[in-house]
Amino acid sequence: MSSSAVHSLWTTAAEGKLDKIPAPHIEYAQLAPTLIVLGAALIGVLVEAFVPRRSRYYVQVFLSVVALAAAFAAVVGLAAGGYGTTKAHIAAMGAIAVDGPALFLQGTILLASVVAVFTFAERRLDPEAHGNRVDSFAAQAASVPGSDSEQAAVKAGFTTTEVFPLALFAVSGMLVFPAANDLLTLFVALEVFSLPLYLLCALARRKRLMSQEAAVKYFLLGAFSSAFLLFGIALLYGYAGSVSYATIADVVSGSVQNVDPALAGTMGNDALLLIGGAMILMGLLFKVGAVPFHMWTPDVYQGAPTPVTGFMAAATKVAAFGALLRLLYVVLPGMSWDWRPVMWGVAIITMLGGAVVAITQTDIKRLLAYSSIAHAGFILAGVIATNADGISSVLFYLGAYSFVTIGAFAVVTLVRDAGGEATHLSKWAGLGRRSPLVAAVFAVFLLAFAGIPLTSGFSGKFAVFKAAAEGGAGALVVVGVISSAVAAFFYIRVIVLMFFSEPKADGPTVAVPSALTTAAIGVGVAVTLVLGVAPQYFLDLAHNASVFVR
Amino acid sequence: MDNLIALLIAAPLLGAAVLLCGGRKLDKAGHWLGTLLAGASFVIGAVLFVDMLGRSADHRTVTKHLFSWIPVEGFQADVGFQLDQLSMTFVLLITGVGTLIHIYSIGYMEHDENRRRFFGYLNLFLAAMLLLVLADNYLLLYVGWEGVGLASYLLIGFWQHKPSAATAAKKAFLVNRVGDMGLSIAIMVMFTTFGSFAFSTVLGETGGASSGRNTAIGLMLLLAACGKSAQVPLQSWLGDAMEGPTPVSALIHAATMVTAGVYLITRSGAIFNAVPDVQTVVVIVGTVTLLFGAIVGCAKDDIKKALAGSTMSQIGYMVLATGLGPIGYVFAIMHLVTHGFFKAGLFLGAGSVMHGMNDEVDMRRYGGLRKYMPVTFVTFGLGYLAIIGFPGLSGFFSKDKIIEAAFAKGGTEGWILGAVTLLGAAITAYYMTRVMVMTFFGEERWKHAKTPAPDQPGVEPAAQTHGAHDEPHPHESPKSMTIPMIVLAFGSVFAGGIFGIGDRFVKWLEPVTSFDHGNSPVAEWTVTAATIVCLLIGVGLAVAQYGRKPVPAVAPRGSLLTRAARRDLLQDDFNHVVLVRGGEHLTRSLVYLDHSLVDGVVNGTAASVGGLSGRLRKLQNGFARSYAVSMFGGAVVIIAATLLMRAV
């Protein structure tokens, strides 16, 4: 808001005309998914304060799962009520869009989050410490790694059950992110889901220093990218005189001029539009992990507790791509000639960069991180298609990818040695001989990543590339296929390593998980195969949900 | 009634599934189950036959659409059956002879611990062969075609612990692949030409296709027939296929499967009729094989290989007849059926002899067996008389007709073909008499002989179970073996007469294959007389050579032709030099190319990508400040690029 606007607000207040400000009209029912999760997160904080330590874990897990399930039910209810198609509109005074893409992505995020919460709650993998079951998170986040206080916390059986409300906060931000319909909401949502993620990254029980280092890096670079985003927002406001998507779009297309007289000097200045638009794009590209804004990804993915990595890799990517789609398709369609070439370049170096650097990785989590970068490139190819198929294919790809990712990271948590998870690839040699089932499941996920037919990866990649080709991005598809070929090498290499190498004598053991992780992996495999064998229903679903409300 | 057609195939298929999946528990009853289901299939076939006879000649064809396998727009793959007079003939032959050989095998395979598996394979063969002849489209026919190929492979290699059997099975499989490739290409060309696989479409619209297409289809079908029916140039596998148990040789490699090529050509008659050039090629193939097989048959001392040469030669007759067009189709099939009887009978007889002789196959170690194996002697003798065309027996009617048809081709061709077929008849008489004399007459050469070393090719390992390692004690085979031989002997004697007298078979098959008398330049009685003269010459020569003089226990060196014929007229040497060596050279050069060029490019690419990866990886140095610089650089580039885009 400009200073004159603030000034006029003050003068209005001084003149006693406050009662004439209309009360904001909030459609609570349509915002129910977000509100449920946010409410549960707040209750979770209260649980931390008032529920005895012994039962907190159970209460928190129950609360989280119920809240996420209820929110998913609300999403389904809204979609069934036609809010995804005919009744799609903009709620909360223009701040939140309730439309097909928003509901589809919110549903995806919620389902992925339920599965991720299962992996958060896993307490069977690590050996018991002092008779207490432990999960993947530090006993006491505030204690210095390796200090006496940490020992004491472990001995006392402390657990960081705050991870559940933190996850819920993050989810609530992610739910808003793809639905945000003005730039300020976008920014707030970004921070709401980013801050809890920074914290979650720092909470690993093992290799705590690495975990904290990852969190700090993530935070610093995240703040840096937020600054870009925020500055871009300011520039766009200067250009259009509004932060509302619809108004900016109108100004870009030239149908509206001169929204705010106070901004007459900057209104319609294309330099502001171009620079501001580019900076906002950068903020979002950072979140999806596109080259050259990707460098946090391997370090953070490696350092964060593996369940958090899975959650982040899946849900953040869904939310961020949702916001990116809305920005490009709702706000900036009028200038697609400006952003498409740039995005072409980004997509190409992202696909190639992710695939090429992954080849020389020796740590399974870093490998998956680079794989996620390459996948971000593939999804960008669909984003660039700028047609209805582009939207639906990206929606489908995100849904397919998130379950594969969570499943794959869940498998990573199972392979352990004395130092916790055995993430070095050399330790995975011969895993197929020792634990054929686990290795086979992981092989399914890797094949899905590689995009082999009969897995969801193939359906998704095919849809995205098809849309891109139809959208006139044939060259991009060629690069995409080449990168897929490069990427297939390192996925298959892991399979070869697992099944055709001699097991090492001091190799890792495969922990037997509880029903929670089993369920997470099972859901991952099921979704991977169903979307691979019979994708049509879900493609239709994505297709029906592919219209943005304006 | 048409539902029974599916049941016809289902019965042996069920048997195969049960026997092959059933496990050891079925060992005691497995052979009975297999025989019972084969018999059931025969009964169903007989019921359908009676039903068919009840209808007039024009309404005998029954079709049954079972389901659509691949129902896609523009690509309709159906599973449907067509039972007409031609398929009915085959059904009765396959199930009839098949059942008899099942019964025979109960005795023959008694001491084999894998008898259940053997019967499972036999049932599998029956099912596949019935599918082949009952399919109403080429794609389904192909399924059956591959099915019999598989069964043949499994049964030739049934004693796969013998390296020779395993090699023979592999050889048969590989050579057949060449033919199968022909069939698949033919089917593809059919689909692109007619848009369908169905007999009704393909054969009904032959006139609409260009002669180039028809020629291509015809030649490819001929290649397929050559593979399956062991015709030159794909004949080399049949002799080695005798490594299989003798009942298999009788059923698959004499009576039924090897005649599938004749069926294919006859069924596709419309295509061949449309392209006379291809028919000429068919005739040439048949003629060459006729002589080839006959000459090989004269030189072999292994009783089964001599019979195999004879099979090749007789199928040559049939192929020759199909190449004559409507003049010959009916007689090709007629000879096929009579041959099915007497050749199966001869093989079973040979098996019976081996059974009594400690699995000895070398005829030079036989002799004078008629006293010891009277039933085998009589049935084998009747089969012998039938195959050489002794007047009144089966072969007389069917082979005579083919020779007549060859003359009826007309012109110079007719004379040449007629002469060759007559020559073939003489050679047939010669080599069959040789077999007969060496086995059942003359000196008892097996006395004081030792059982051959087990590694000698052609020796069935069942010998070990007999426990006799010294002098053989020839004896008659059990009832389960002799009864099928007797039944087949009846067929050998009477089938020809039943078919031939009053042109019954011609009238029966004419609606399907059409029939043309042709214009024979020679009177019918002249041909018959000439045939009988040829026969007498052949028999006389053989008796003079083998009956009057003692047969040496070790084969003499022989003339150049004899030595070549012993080596199957150098077929394997030819294949080795031309195909194997050539293939090796080709492979070697391809491997070289692959190593140097393809691998060079691939490995080079991989190495450069790997190197790039290693270098890019160093950018990821772990310092947040470097990452921030990268982001900042990226931001600058993106903003600059965006502005530049607008400026341009």
Side-chain angles (χ1 to χ4, degrees):
Chain A
M1 260 190 247
S2 70
S3 59
S4 65
V6 175
H7 175 72
S8 64
L9 204 62
W10 277 112
T11 45
T12 330
E15 285 162 18
K17 291 178 185 169
L18 261 182
D19 55 339
K20 289 195 176 168
I21 294 178
H25 176 65
I26 307 287
E27 295 87 339
Y28 290 102
Q30 293 164 29
L31 304 181
T34 315
L35 295 178
I36 290 170
V37 176
L38 202 54
L42 292 171
I43 296 172
V45 173
L46 295 178
V47 168
E48 286 300 318
F50 295 111
V51 173
R53 191 183 292 279
R54 190 168 303 171
S55 35
R56 267 184 221 161
Y57 165 81
Y58 302 99
V59 177
Q60 292 285 25
V61 172
F62 178 77
L63 182 67
S64 308
V65 172
V66 167
L68 292 170
F72 182 72
V75 168
V76 172
L78 286 173
Y83 285 98
T85 49
T86 51
K87 286 161 82 177
H89 76 132
I90 295 169
M93 308 289 286
I96 306 274
V98 181
D99 58 7
L103 289 174
F104 187 95
L105 293 172
Q106 288 175 340
T108 307
I109 292 169
L110 287 165
L111 283 181
S113 305
V114 174
V115 178
V117 164
F118 284 167
T119 61
F120 277 39
E122 177 63 54
R123 300 177 95 180
R124 289 273 175 86
L125 299 177
D126 251 345
E128 296 185 353
H130 304 286
N132 298 307
R133 287 207 178 136
V134 296
D135 51 22
S136 308
F137 301 100
Q140 198 172 30
S143 61
V144 176
S147 67
D148 291 342
S149 70
E150 187 190 35
Q151 297 291 332
V154 171
K155 203 165 189 178
F158 290 176
T159 51
T160 312
T161 44
E162 290 91 342
V163 294
F164 297 102
L166 283 172
L168 289 181
F169 277 122
V171 170
S172 67
M174 289 169 182
L175 294 180
V176 176
F177 204 48
N181 201 49
D182 68 43
L183 293 172
L184 283 181
T185 313
L186 180 79
F187 179 70
V188 171
L190 174 79
E191 293 304 325
V192 167
F193 81 74
S194 293
L195 290 170
L197 285 179
Y198 302 149
L199 281 178
L200 285 169
C201 285
L203 292 179
R205 167 174 290 271
R206 310 264 195 166
K207 299 174 188 152
R208 287 192 62 200
L209 282 174
M210 204 172 160
S211 167
Q212 295 185 349
E213 180 193 332
V216 171
K217 278 183 189 163
Y218 193 18
F219 172 68
L220 283 176
L221 297 172
F224 193 40
S225 83
S226 294
F228 275 108
L229 184 85
L230 205 51
F231 197 47
I233 291 174
L235 291 178
L236 266 195
Y237 178 75
Y239 168 78
S242 167
V243 290
S244 153
Y245 281 10
T247 317
I248 299 172
D250 288 342
V251 176
V252 169
S253 64
S255 60
V256 173
Q257 288 160 353
N258 215 6
V259 175
D260 189 339
L263 292 170
T266 57
M267 279 283 294
N269 183 336
D270 274 356
L272 293 186
L273 169 68
L274 294 174
I275 299 173
M279 292 181 109
I280 295 177
L281 275 183
M282 276 176 256
L284 296 176
L285 289 175
F286 174 84
K287 282 294 164 197
V288 303
V291 178
F293 311 103
H294 68 289
M295 299 187 97
W296 62 276
T297 320
D299 292 13
V300 174
Y301 276 25
Q302 188 186 14
T306 307
V308 175
T309 310
F311 171 61
M312 223 166 33
T316 312
K317 200 151 267 184
V318 177
F321 266 110
L324 189 64
L325 275 179
R326 192 177 294 279
L327 187 76
L328 293 178
Y329 283 70
V330 175
V331 185
L332 303 176
M335 52 177 294
S336 66
W337 286 107
D338 294 303
W339 62 258
R340 277 192 79 182
V342 175
M343 292 290 280
W344 264 66
V346 172
I348 286 174
I349 57 172
T350 305
M351 289 189 280
L352 285 177
V356 168
V357 182
I359 288 178
T360 41
Q361 296 307 315
T362 51
D363 185 279
I364 190 77
K365 283 171 82 176
R366 287 184 84 82
L367 182 91
L368 291 177
Y370 280 104
S371 141
S372 98
I373 293 169
H375 280 278
F378 299 139
I379 304 175
L380 279 178
V383 172
I384 291 168
T386 52
N387 51 25
D389 275 355
I391 304 175
S392 66
S393 66
V394 169
L395 296 182
F396 180 85
Y397 200 117
L398 289 170
Y401 175 76
S402 45
F403 288 95
V404 182
T405 304
I406 297 186
F409 279 107
V411 174
V412 171
T413 62
L414 301 183
V415 182
R416 313 179 77 89
D417 58 16
E421 288 159 12
T423 54
H424 200 274
L425 271 179
S426 64
K427 303 214 167 143
W428 286 57
L431 192 72
R433 308 257 177 102
R434 267 199 231 127
S435 310
L437 184 64
V438 170
V441 165
F442 199 61
V444 169
F445 291 137
L446 288 172
L447 292 176
F449 279 135
I452 304 297
L454 297 184
T455 63
S456 60
F458 175 75
S459 318
K461 226 174 235 179
F462 184 79
V464 165
F465 286 166
K466 180 163 165 276
E470 284 169 358
L476 209 55
V477 174
V478 172
V479 176
V481 171
I482 292 173
S483 324
S484 301
V486 175
F489 167 75
F490 59 81
Y491 295 127
I492 307 290
R493 195 182 59 155
V494 176
I495 296 180
V496 170
L497 190 71
M498 289 193 300
F499 287 99
F500 302 105
S501 301
E502 283 302 319
K504 282 195 167 181
D506 58 341
T509 54
V510 169
V512 180
S514 70
L516 291 163
T517 301
T518 311
I521 295 172
V523 170
V525 173
V527 171
T528 303
L529 294 180
V530 168
L531 292 191
V533 175
Q536 199 54 49
Y537 173 79
F538 301 92
L539 283 170
D540 291 344
L541 199 66
H543 183 72
N544 293 336
S546 65
V547 179
F548 283 105
V549 68
R550 291 290 305 272
Chain B
M1 194 52 88
D2 52 1
N3 283 323
L4 284 179
I5 301 176
L7 214 56
L8 204 57
I9 300 174
L13 195 62
L14 173 79
V18 170
L19 291 176
L20 295 179
C21 305
R24 293 259 162 224
K25 283 178 194 163
L26 286 172
D27 272 357
K28 281 191 181 148
H31 46 285
W32 294 113
L33 179 72
T35 310
L36 195 71
L37 285 169
S41 194
F42 175 67
V43 171
I44 297 168
V47 170
L48 284 167
F49 178 60
V50 172
D51 178 59
M52 182 179 274
L53 285 181
R55 291 192 298 274
S56 70
D58 298 336
H59 297 89
R60 282 181 175 169
T61 303
V62 184
T63 55
K64 169 75 182 167
H65 178 259
L66 209 58
F67 60 91
S68 285
W69 177 30
I70 307 176
V72 181
E73 179 81 32
F75 185 93
Q76 191 74 24
D78 288 332
V79 174
F81 303 122
Q82 173 178 337
L83 183 65
D84 55 17
Q85 290 90 327
L86 180 59
S87 351
M88 181 50 90
T89 310
F90 271 89
V91 165
L92 292 177
L93 177 72
I94 295 162
T95 55
V97 176
T99 308
L100 289 175
I101 286 173
H102 272 75
I103 296 169
Y104 179 89
S105 305
I106 294 174
Y108 190 84
M109 299 295 285
E110 194 174 355
H111 302 291
D112 197 296
E113 56 181 17
N114 290 318
R115 183 159 64 161
R116 173 182 52 84
R117 190 157 58 89
F118 180 79
F119 276 83
Y121 291 160
L122 277 187
N123 272 0
L124 178 69
F125 167 76
L126 284 189
M129 188 73 199
L130 288 170
L131 186 67
L132 196 165
V133 298
L134 284 171
D136 75 342
N137 63 71
Y138 280 97
L139 199 62
L140 193 61
L141 179 145
Y142 188 73
V143 177
W145 188 271
E146 291 293 321
V148 293
L150 170 69
S152 162
Y153 168 78
L154 292 170
L155 285 166
I156 294 172
F158 186 74
W159 290 316
Q160 76 265 50
H161 51 81
K162 275 199 306 179
S164 57
T167 312
K170 216 184 294 174
K171 184 175 180 184
F173 196 81
L174 285 176
V175 176
N176 267 292
R177 289 317 296 167
V178 180
D180 297 349
M181 198 55 82
L183 184 55
S184 64
I185 293 173
I187 293 174
M188 290 177 218
V189 178
M190 276 173 201
F191 183 74
T192 56
T193 310
F194 306 103
S196 169
F197 306 113
F199 290 156
S200 53
T201 316
V202 174
L203 302 175
E205 297 173 5
T206 309
S210 71
S211 73
R213 290 292 180 109
N214 277 335
T215 307
I217 297 174
L219 285 177
M220 286 298 118
L221 287 176
L222 175 63
L223 182 65
C226 284
K228 200 61 85 190
S229 294
Q231 300 293 295
V232 174
L234 298 179
Q235 80 290 356
S236 65
W237 64 274
L238 188 63
D240 295 291
M242 297 302 127
E243 288 290 334
T246 308
V248 172
S249 310
L251 176 62
I252 300 183
H253 304 120
T256 56
M257 186 194 83
V258 284
T259 59
V262 180
Y263 170 79
L264 185 70
I265 297 177
T266 308
R267 177 59 83 191
S268 314
I271 293 172
F272 287 91
N273 294 344
V275 273
D277 290 348
V278 177
Q279 282 186 319
T280 309
V281 180
V282 176
V283 167
I284 292 171
V285 166
T287 314
V288 170
T289 313
L290 186 170
L291 292 176
F292 189 105
I295 293 171
V296 169
C298 294
K300 290 287 181 185
D301 289 331
D302 178 327
I303 185 168
K304 283 180 75 181
K305 294 207 169 165
L307 290 177
S310 155
T311 304
M312 207 186 282
S313 167
Q314 297 303 313
I315 298 171
Y317 270 107
M318 299 171 210
V319 170
L320 188 158
T322 58
L324 299 173
I327 315 174
Y329 290 134
V330 176
F331 300 127
I333 301 298
M334 184 163 140
H335 192 53
L336 191 156
V337 177
T338 56
H339 175 256
F341 284 123
F342 55 66
K343 187 52 70 61
L346 287 169
F347 264 110
L348 295 191
S352 176
V353 170
M354 287 155 58
H355 194 75
M357 292 290 290
N358 290 355
D359 293 300
E360 175 64 81
V361 288
D362 188 352
M363 292 190 289
R364 292 187 186 276
R365 293 164 192 266
Y366 290 170
L369 291 177
R370 66 182 184 281
K371 282 180 287 186
Y372 303 93
M373 304 180 181
V375 181
T376 305
F377 169 63
V378 171
T379 55
F380 194 94
L382 289 172
Y384 154 75
L385 291 176
I387 191 173
I388 64 173
F390 191 81
L393 270 67
S394 285
F396 171 75
F397 289 97
S398 54
K399 197 193 288 174
D400 207 40
K401 287 291 182 191
I402 293 182
I403 297 172
E404 278 174 32
F407 278 113
K409 173 81 174 167
T412 327
E413 276 180 70
W415 283 105
I416 297 173
L417 293 177
V420 172
T421 47
L422 278 175
L423 177 63
I427 306 178
T428 307
Y430 173 79
Y431 67 70
M432 281 314 298
T433 310
R434 176 174 173 268
V435 169
M436 195 68 196
V437 170
M438 283 175 86
T439 306
F440 292 102
F441 294 92
E443 192 190 343
E444 295 173 358
R445 293 181 301 275
W446 40 271
K447 281 193 173 165
H448 317 297
K450 292 282 180 223
T451 319
D455 61 345
Q456 184 171 331
V459 180
E460 305 197 352
Q464 294 152 13
T465 59
H466 284 285
H469 288 286
D470 43 15
E471 199 177 290
H473 301 282
H475 56 85
E476 189 54 272
S477 297
K479 283 259 165 45
S480 67
M481 288 168 67
T482 50
I483 289 172
M485 287 154 60
I486 295 168
V487 175
L488 285 172
F490 272 100
S492 312
V493 175
F494 299 112
I498 294 170
F499 294 161
I501 295 170
D503 284 345
R504 283 203 197 92
F505 201 76
V506 174
K507 284 174 191 153
W508 157 254
L509 214 54
E510 194 183 356
V512 184
T513 59
S514 72
F515 179 65
D516 181 4
H517 272 291
N519 304 308
S520 182
V522 203
E524 208 173 303
W525 70 265
T526 330
V527 175
T528 310
T531 315
I532 294 172
V533 169
C534 287
L535 185 157
L536 291 176
I537 294 172
V539 173
L541 273 175
V543 171
Q545 201 171 345
Y546 294 95
R548 296 291 170 83
K549 288 181 278 185
V551 179
V554 177
R557 198 169 133 79
S559 69
L560 199 64
L561 181 65
T562 315
R563 273 178 280 148
R566 279 195 197 124
R567 299 190 60 139
D568 300 297
L569 293 178
L570 307 178
Q571 61 179 16
D572 292 334
D573 306 77
F574 176 82
N575 286 349
H576 188 77
V577 171
V578 177
L579 300 176
V580 178
R581 289 259 178 82
E584 277 173 355
H585 281 297
L586 186 68
T587 323
R588 239 177 260 151
S589 41
L590 284 177
V591 166
Y592 174 74
L593 208 66
D594 186 52
H595 277 309
S596 56
L597 197 70
V598 179
D599 282 7
V601 171
V602 171
N603 291 340
T605 314
S608 55
V609 171
L612 183 67
S613 175
R615 248 165 282 153
L616 286 178
R617 194 183 165 193
K618 297 212 175 87
L619 290 178
Q620 190 81 23
N621 57 11
F623 293 118
R625 55 175 188 258
S626 308
Y627 299 175
V629 166
S630 147
M631 285 172 65
F632 185 74
V636 170
V637 170
I638 284 183
I639 290 171
T642 316
L643 291 174
L644 206 65
M645 285 301 147
R646 182 55 70 92
V648 176

